[in-house]
Amino acid sequence: MAPVTVDVLVVFAIIVVAMVLFVTEVVSSDVTAIAVLVSLVVLGDYTGVSAIAALGGFANPATVTVIAMYILSEAVRQTGIVSRVGQWIAADAAGSERRLLGSILGTTGVAAGFVNNTPVVAVFVPMVHDIAAETNISPSKLFLPLSYAAMLGGTLTLIGTSTNLVVSDVAGRAGAAGVAPELHALGMFEFTPLGIVVFVVGVGYLLTVGRWLTPARVSPETTLVEAYDVERHLAQVVVREGSPLVGNPVSSVRDLLAEPVTTDGSVAEPIDCKLLQLVRDEEPQHALSSDVPLAVGDVLTVRGDRRNVNRFADRFGLRQLPHERVTAGDLDVREGRGSLVEVIVPEGSRLHGDTVHEANLAGYHAAQVLAVRRGDSVRTADIDEYEIGVGDALLVQVRERDLRYLVENGDLVVVRGLGKELSEDREPTPLEPTTPTVFATVALVVVIAALGLLPISIAALAGVVVLFATDAVSPGDAYSAVNWNVIFLLAGVIPLGVALTNTGGDALVAEFISSLGIVLPPIGILGVVYVLTGLLAAIITPVATVVLLTPVAIDTAISLGVNPLAFVFAVLFAASSAFMTPVGYQTNLMVYGPGGYRFSDYLRVGTPLFALLAVVTTVGIVVFWGL
């Protein structure tokens, strides 16, 4: 075995620290990646990475292509075609769970092969929830397969996921550098035949064994109030004659609750209640958005435990109404547009890392957070100190106009509670006039890249230029659609792969893996690379995994004297098989809260799927490309 030098130890130390930070999430993954980039340059005497080389991650073709694909995906989303497809699925399913699941899996998977899978899942989550409610199926039975199908669909084409593009770039550079002359940047449909096999096998599993293993955590009949167990924290009070609140604007009540003043002018203990709604003459008004003076007979809906509600009523001369009168319907601002909504925090949200208090949704957007859910764990007390994370589901009381800003800026994704539910007699979603332009542009990008007329990065950028020039998507919407966390993650970790190669660290790891050849044939070692990649992807994100392991896989193949392209494909397919944890892939996180899942659910459903695809993919690689 080659000697372990100080340079290799330094790079390995950086990798270990980065992995710990990725797993513990002490800081966000993009911040960790940039810290890695800086460390590589500071320790350049050992890592061999200069400032120019480190910053090359931002100009890397894979990074540029991912940015362009986010913009193209946003243009497709804005056409309304995905919503139209959801309505077709609802009409076609006709109450059959298996047919509904099959339609969702097929549609999601194919779409994820050409459009970034995160916005696809974001659009499908609320539609799937509505369909589940109409067909009396637990949404939990559908959400996890939805995420898995999006991941499987990413293996259909080169642009299916960002990891495909990174693997292609590493393979292309290895071929150009003469490390493995038979390697090249991957073609648009070069691995599609095996991708189809993997997708069909995965969908078959999800429709049979996976369907049986997937739990029904959330009842289709459960209201938002029941799902978040907030009914016992809701109460209604009536303003009595002589109440000191009479004549005060609704907006002032929030300040009085935070620092109430007694009749003698002394400051009393704050009352932990949130004023949600005012009802006057049977007309509800959103409390944080209303400035009308309170009057005798007004009904106020508040959130708080029994003790604080009692203190609120006693101090301000209010009469409590029977507890059982408060329902989800009582929080509707107007018919058809509920003010009580369930939202999830997507990757890239500016709310990530803030406490509910620091996010100050009430102050900035007139939105009250009533409860939070992470997986199957619901929190209804001490919410202000809760740190918001990606994948968290929030129960929010807000008007549509105030929520729209947060949704359009990518800070929240609505799951349910806003807008009309899907129904058979609902008018089809109208398509935007730009729909033909968008789809023609995306098709041209795919064709040009597939024929090799232009590099995929240039073809994708040309598509963006066309969309801008035709006003198919605005620059503001385009830039907002880009998940900059992923971009900085990519740009930050790509130099880490360079450092691993510069110091010989990849060859050292490859030598260790190759030593298994004493007991395993080459196809067995190919399987080991697949399993190692899949396990790391489920823990430290797929992007970081492929950056580290693609060079290792290539060196392993060279040391064994076998086809390096086969090992490249093992990494590529395994990176899209992070089924076993909710943190392994962002779509897994997106369904974690709304599905009410436990961490163990991902292990129970995802482990057999991972094992099945490890065998199918390993054998398929040998059949299609040989060893």
Side-chain angles (χ1 to χ4, degrees):
M1 181 175 288
V4 180
T5 64
V6 175
D7 294 354
V8 171
L9 289 176
V10 169
V11 173
F12 280 174
I14 294 174
I15 291 173
V16 170
V17 172
M19 290 177 65
V20 171
L21 292 175
F22 280 133
V23 173
T24 59
E25 294 187 314
V26 175
V27 293
S28 61
S29 58
D30 54 326
V31 173
T32 297
I34 298 304
V36 167
L37 184 154
V38 173
S39 301
L40 291 173
V41 176
V42 171
L43 300 172
D45 291 341
Y46 300 99
T47 64
V49 177
S50 66
I52 293 177
L55 295 175
F58 288 96
N60 187 280
T63 307
V64 174
T65 305
V66 171
I67 292 174
M69 292 313 301
Y70 272 120
I71 297 173
L72 293 175
S73 298
E74 173 63 11
V76 172
R77 186 196 68 79
Q78 289 188 7
T79 64
I81 189 66
V82 181
S83 297
R84 177 75 69 89
V85 169
Q87 292 166 10
W88 290 338
I89 292 174
D92 180 66
S96 169
E97 179 181 342
R98 188 182 296 274
R99 192 187 313 167
L100 172 61
L101 184 57
S103 298
I104 291 172
L105 297 180
T107 305
T108 305
V110 172
F114 298 91
V115 181
N116 185 270
N117 50 25
T118 302
V120 170
V121 172
V123 172
F124 264 82
V125 163
M127 290 192 300
V128 168
H129 198 290
D130 287 344
I131 295 171
E134 288 192 356
T135 53
N136 199 34
I137 298 170
S138 169
S140 307
K141 299 288 287 184
L142 305 174
F143 282 150
L144 195 56
L146 169 69
S147 174
Y148 286 172
M151 296 166 66
L152 292 169
T155 63
L156 294 176
T157 70
L158 178 63
I159 59 176
T161 70
S162 58
T163 54
N164 294 352
L165 295 165
V166 174
V167 171
S168 174
D169 177 70
V170 175
R173 284 191 283 112
V179 175
E182 58 269 62
L183 286 180
H184 54 270
L186 303 178
M188 178 67 72
F189 300 107
E190 186 169 351
F191 50 88
T192 298
L194 181 56
I196 293 173
V197 173
V198 169
F199 180 72
V200 170
V201 171
V203 168
Y205 167 86
L206 293 172
L207 287 172
T208 53
V209 177
R211 179 167 168 258
W212 174 67
L213 291 174
T214 304
R217 296 291 182 201
V218 177
S219 169
E221 300 177 352
T222 302
T223 66
L224 284 172
V225 169
E226 295 167 340
Y228 283 83
D229 192 29
V230 296
E231 189 171 5
R232 58 194 175 92
H233 294 282
L234 297 177
Q236 286 184 321
V237 294
V238 179
V239 179
R240 288 173 167 171
E241 190 170 349
S243 168
L245 296 182
V246 174
N248 284 293
V250 177
S251 56
S252 69
V253 176
R254 182 184 175 202
D255 297 330
L256 291 172
L257 288 170
E259 191 174 299
V261 179
T262 60
T263 53
D264 61 2
S266 61
V267 178
E269 178 188 354
I271 299 174
D272 187 13
C273 279
K274 296 183 185 296
L275 181 57
L276 306 179
Q277 191 163 275
L278 160 68
V279 179
R280 177 179 295 172
D281 298 328
E282 299 184 355
E283 286 294 324
Q285 299 181 42
H286 187 244
L288 290 180
S289 305
S290 175
D291 236 358
V292 301
L294 289 170
V296 175
D298 286 346
V299 178
L300 308 178
T301 303
V302 297
R303 180 204 176 280
D305 58 31
R306 188 180 299 274
R307 172 177 174 271
N308 279 287
V309 172
N310 288 339
R311 293 175 59 221
F312 178 46
D314 291 343
R315 184 164 296 164
F316 295 104
L318 310 171
R319 175 172 60 87
Q320 293 190 52
L321 295 178
H323 181 74
E324 59 269 21
R325 288 192 55 177
V326 183
T327 65
D330 291 322
L331 293 174
D332 285 345
V333 172
R334 56 188 175 88
E335 186 177 355
R337 295 288 177 182
S339 63
L340 195 63
V341 298
E342 180 181 27
V343 295
I344 50 178
V345 181
E347 187 83 22
S349 170
R350 291 173 297 180
L351 304 180
H352 173 51
D354 285 348
T355 65
V356 172
H357 175 73
E358 290 168 343
N360 194 18
L361 293 178
Y364 294 139
H365 308 290
Q368 299 272 25
V369 180
L370 306 185
V372 293
R373 179 195 291 276
R374 180 169 292 173
D376 67 332
S377 176
V378 177
R379 182 166 176 171
T380 56
D382 300 323
I383 297 174
D384 284 348
E385 303 308 314
Y386 181 86
E387 184 175 308
I388 301 171
V390 173
D392 286 349
L394 312 178
L395 181 64
V396 181
Q397 194 244 357
V398 62
R399 293 187 308 176
E400 179 185 0
R401 72 178 72 171
D402 298 310
L403 181 62
R404 187 175 299 280
Y405 175 84
L406 290 165
V407 172
E408 290 179 349
N409 282 275
D411 292 318
L412 296 173
V413 174
V414 178
V415 177
R416 59 169 166 160
L418 187 67
K420 298 178 181 178
E421 294 183 345
L422 296 175
S423 61
E424 293 183 2
D425 58 351
R426 181 182 176 183
E427 289 295 322
T429 299
L431 299 181
E432 292 294 322
T434 56
T435 299
T437 301
V438 171
F439 278 87
T441 301
V442 173
L444 278 174
V445 169
V446 171
V447 170
I448 290 172
L451 295 177
L453 301 178
L454 287 173
I456 178 62
S457 56
I458 302 302
L461 286 176
V464 170
V465 171
V466 171
L467 295 180
F468 283 167
T470 58
D471 289 327
V473 64
S474 70
D477 288 345
Y479 300 139
S480 296
V482 176
N483 189 332
W484 295 105
N485 292 52
V486 172
I487 301 306
F488 277 88
L489 173 61
L490 269 172
V493 298
I494 284 175
L496 187 56
V498 174
L500 197 63
T501 301
N502 288 346
T503 59
D506 56 343
L508 192 65
V509 177
E511 187 177 347
F512 172 76
I513 297 175
S514 301
S515 67
L516 297 175
I518 300 174
V519 294
L520 291 175
I523 191 174
I525 298 179
L526 184 67
V528 168
V529 170
Y530 182 99
V531 171
L532 178 60
T533 303
L535 293 177
L536 276 179
I539 299 171
I540 66 166
T541 77
V543 169
T545 298
V546 298
V547 167
L548 294 175
L549 290 189
T550 305
V552 170
I554 294 171
D555 284 344
T556 300
I558 293 172
S559 64
L560 291 172
V562 297
N563 181 11
L565 186 62
F567 280 72
V568 166
F569 282 133
V571 173
L572 182 146
F573 279 93
S576 292
S577 63
F579 307 116
M580 293 180 290
T581 68
V583 298
Y585 204 79
Q586 52 194 1
T587 58
N588 281 353
L589 273 175
M590 291 179 69
V591 301
Y592 189 36
Y597 297 117
R598 299 170 184 168
F599 194 98
S600 59
D601 293 334
Y602 289 82
L603 286 173
R604 183 170 67 173
V605 184
T607 302
L609 178 58
F610 177 73
L612 173 64
L613 294 184
V615 175
V616 170
T617 306
T618 301
V619 173
I621 289 173
V622 175
V623 170
F624 282 104
W625 295 282
L627 276 179

